Amino acid sequence: MTTLTLNTGHPMPQLGYGTYKIAPEDTVRAVRLALDAGYRHIDTAQMYGNEAEVGEAIATSGIPRDEIFLTTKLNNTNHRAEDARSSFAQSLEDLRTDYVDLFLIHWPLPTLYGGDFLSTWKVLEEFFADGRARAIGVSNFLPEHLDVLLEGSETVPAVNQIEIHPYFTNDASRRANADAGIITQAWSPLGRGAVLDDPAIVEIAERRGITPAQAVLAWHVGRGDVVIPKSVTKERIVSNMDIFDVALSDQDYEIITALDRGEDGRQGSDPRTMDRL
């Protein structure tokens, strides 16, 4: 398992286990499978409704808390200062921990809260200052959203978690992150499974003797992004870890990158207009 160093100086495992849309009743088992397989980076969110189960899985795993990199995210309903503070305290209680390794604003919501996500960011700076968040960052922030934070605050986000997969390489956001010293983390790294049947990816996988998912995840990792694939199947959880010895050629990278469809490839919401509470 490789790690990347955040701008705080802390290491972050480059491969994590995502828990998006894992039902609470399935979460303890799924996270324990991931931990047993060797994952030491777990990603959840207030929005997912499974923080308590993630916390239970970690607390009962027998793995020391300081060996697990734990991320959660602020729900869209909690951007006002007092809501952010109270919900963060609840997240820590649900997760059975006195700190998280990374806390993110889940969406910028520029059409809500008067377009003011800077005030919300300054509340996250409080959590960073008091040590309850070892690092703070954002999710789904476009370059123009990052500019507001960089110009209006003292803390550069450690991570920007954004949609990235071969059909949506999101290179403008990746460049803006890199220019600011922000780690890029890819959510939906397998394009919700849509890219796994692409003939170009299937051909690379067959030629390399790997699965299409391994080919795509190796592409992400080789480009320097953090990835958080999700599965509740033990075989796939284990398989998704086995990517760090995959040797893609420069041509393989070029073939996969060329699958980019620009905005037509976006599968999730557009951060410019996303306004769901």
Side-chain angles (χ1 to χ4, degrees), residues 76-117:
N76 293 347
T77 56
N78 297 326
H79 274 224
R80 294 184 179 88
E82 287 308 311
D83 294 332
R85 294 184 185 108
S86 62
S87 69
F88 180 64
Q90 185 64 54
S91 287
L92 294 181
E93 181 177 338
D94 289 343
L95 290 165
R96 304 191 190 187
T97 184
D98 56 6
Y99 73 96
V100 291
D101 297 274
L102 180 64
F103 190 60
L104 308 177
I105 298 177
H106 208 148
W107 288 89
L109 305 177
T111 66
L112 300 177
Y113 301 104
D116 179 17
F117 47 80

Side-chain angles (χ1 to χ4, degrees), residues 152-186:
S153 73
E154 299 298 320
T155 308
V156 176
V159 169
N160 188 9
Q161 186 182 115
I162 55 178
E163 179 182 352
I164 302 177
H165 47 78
Y167 289 164
F168 186 62
T169 58
N170 212 347
D171 285 334
S173 286
R174 291 180 73 251
R175 284 193 298 270
N177 294 341
D179 288 345
I182 300 169
I183 294 290
T184 294
Q185 185 173 26

Side-chain angles (χ1 to χ4, degrees), residues 261-273:
R261 300 174 179 176
E263 281 296 320
D264 288 340
R266 186 189 292 277
Q267 297 181 355
S269 298
D270 187 333
R272 299 174 185 85
T273 56

Side-chain angles (χ1 to χ4, degrees), residues 27-28 31-32 35 42 51-66 68 70 92-98:
T27 299
V28 174
V31 173
R32 286 294 301 274
L35 292 171
I42 307 297
E51 285 179 311
E53 290 74 22
V54 168
E56 179 182 346
I58 292 173
T60 58
S61 69
I63 300 168
R65 170 67 185 87
D66 62 4
I68 297 172
L70 178 60
L92 294 181
E93 181 177 338
D94 289 343
L95 290 165
R96 304 191 190 187
T97 184
D98 56 6

